[in-house]
Amino acid sequence: MTKRLLLMAIMMLSMTLGFAQTKEELEAQKAEKQAVADAAQKEADAIQAQIDALPGWRVGAFGVIGGSLSNFNNWYAQGAPNNSSGNIGVTVNGYANLIEEKFFWRNALTANLNWVKLDNKDTDLDDDDFNPTTDVFNLSSLYGRNLSEKLAVSGLMEYRTTLLDNFNDPGYLDVGVGITWLPIKDMIVVIHPLNYNFVFADNDAVFESSLGAKIMADYTRKIGAINFKTNLSAFQSYESGDLSNWTWTNSFSYTLWKMIGVGFDFGLRNNKQEALNYALATFDGNGDTPTFGNIDNDLQSYWTIGLSYKF
């Protein structure tokens, strides 16, 4: 009996040592292969950096698609037991940049569209259609002649409006000239002290065009599976602070599988002309008539989260 136990112990020890030895050998082989792969990746990244530095067009786009649909029948715990609802949002960020030795031409498009519906099946008085909520459209074109590696004289045209509701009411067209600073790769800072802000709107008693300064900062970058873009566009009117405005938009997407991933967008805006126009449209006659001097110019915001698609 003792001999059998001894023999079994020796066999188990041999198997353990053999397994340990095999695992160590495999880990050593993996380390060697990983070192080769890391070296190859560094070489590939260096070649890609050389390709990115070549003159020519850089074109790309990424976006976010978020949505949900629901249907309830006889769900008595809620106020409307029979209803169907939906929420659909789409965001697109695209760019087409021509980079040459002496000049650049950068074009960008941002659109964020969202629809919502709530249909109470027990009444015919509600609206069962998808109605627009978030509605953002921005198109810009920047041309510059290089003074140095970091500075350029430039001209900018930027157009902002809504697409789904009240198209071009209001709409904003900035046209100006000045200096563009390129502090780091993929980032631009536009400073145009001579800029005219054309405002298109039916209510010309509130919306007014004016001369002022334009400041825009944009950083669009792709790092592996991550795409992100942040853009600040501000106009400071020389005529009145009531005519000034700024918008800050941000987009982020992470690719999980092939072209599919998750994405998040959010934006902030301050525009006193829009705040006054809304206050007048909803004024019920009680109290003082809204003016630039007495309205609450609350910060505007939106956000969208959902699946993303890299074009």
Side-chain angles (χ1 to χ4, degrees):
M1 187 66 177
T2 303
K3 292 182 178 179
R4 289 182 180 179
L5 291 174
L6 181 60
L7 181 60
M8 291 177 63
I10 294 173
M11 291 178 62
M12 293 179 64
L13 181 60
S14 300
M15 292 175 62
T16 303
L17 292 174
F19 175 77
Q21 185 178 10
T22 302
K23 182 180 178 181
E24 291 175 356
E25 291 176 351
L26 291 174
E27 288 180 343
Q29 293 177 18
K30 178 186 176 182
E32 293 177 1
K33 299 295 184 182
Q34 188 64 53
V36 174
D38 291 344
Q41 186 62 51
K42 289 182 180 180
E43 293 180 2
D45 293 342
I47 295 173
Q48 185 62 51
Q50 294 178 12
I51 294 173
D52 294 339
L54 293 174
W57 284 97
R58 281 87 161 151
V59 180
F62 66 97
V64 174
I65 301 175
S68 66
L69 299 173
S70 64
N71 186 79
F72 290 88
N73 290 309
N74 303 321
W75 199 264
Y76 297 116
Q78 59 187 12
N82 301 292
N83 74 77
S84 62
S85 63
N87 186 327
I88 301 173
V90 179
T91 301
V92 177
N93 296 280
Y95 63 89
N97 300 330
L98 176 61
I99 309 299
E100 296 290 345
E101 181 180 354
K102 295 183 179 180
F103 71 92
F104 58 81
W105 182 27
R106 296 175 176 268
N107 304 278
L109 166 69
T110 298
N112 189 308
L113 310 175
N114 196 81
W115 297 262
V116 173
K117 88 161 187 173
L118 175 61
D119 177 22
N120 186 344
K121 302 175 185 178
D122 295 327
T123 178
D124 295 329
L125 300 179
D126 66 341
D127 187 356
D128 59 357
D129 294 330
F130 277 92
N131 296 301
T133 52
T134 304
D135 191 356
V136 177
F137 179 81
N138 186 295
L139 180 66
S140 65
S141 183
L142 174 69
Y143 179 83
R145 298 290 297 187
N146 295 326
L147 298 175
S148 66
E149 184 180 354
K150 301 293 185 181
L151 287 177
V153 291
S154 56
L156 171 70
M157 181 184 71
E158 183 185 38
Y159 177 65
R160 305 183 307 281
T161 187
T162 55
L163 293 179
L164 305 178
D165 195 16
N166 299 324
F167 173 73
N168 206 41
D169 183 25
Y172 305 91
L173 176 64
D174 280 297
V175 179
V177 293
I179 295 293
T180 293
W181 178 41
L182 301 96
I184 58 176
K185 185 177 182 294
D186 301 314
M187 183 176 184
I188 60 170
V189 179
V190 176
I191 304 173
H192 285 179
L194 184 60
N195 181 92
Y196 200 82
N197 179 236
F198 295 92
V199 183
F200 311 99
D202 293 338
N203 189 355
D204 54 7
V206 173
F207 293 98
E208 183 179 345
S209 303
S210 64
L211 182 69
K214 180 72 173 181
I215 297 176
M216 185 180 76
D218 184 278
Y219 188 43
T220 304
R221 185 75 186 275
K222 179 181 182 298
I223 304 175
I226 298 174
N227 285 277
F228 65 89
K229 175 185 178 70
T230 181
N231 180 278
L232 174 65
S233 178
F235 171 73
Q236 179 61 51
S237 174
Y238 293 146
E239 183 175 335
S240 170
D242 295 334
L243 306 181
S244 303
N245 61 78
W246 59 265
T247 302
W248 182 36
T249 57
N250 301 268
S251 297
F252 171 88
S253 72
Y254 181 78
T255 305
L256 298 173
W257 178 72
K258 293 187 177 180
M259 310 297 281
I260 306 298
V262 293
F264 176 70
D265 281 70
F266 77 92
L268 301 173
R269 173 182 287 174
N270 184 285
N271 190 311
K272 204 167 187 178
Q273 294 178 93
E274 293 178 353
L276 177 57
N277 185 60
Y278 178 78
L280 289 171
T282 57
F283 181 56
D284 59 4
N286 296 321
D288 297 331
T289 302
T291 64
F292 278 121
N294 62 21
I295 61 168
D296 294 325
N297 184 23
D298 296 328
L299 183 66
Q300 305 175 44
S301 66
Y302 72 84
W303 62 267
T304 303
I305 188 170
L307 295 176
S308 66
Y309 185 82
K310 184 177 69 175
F311 301 93

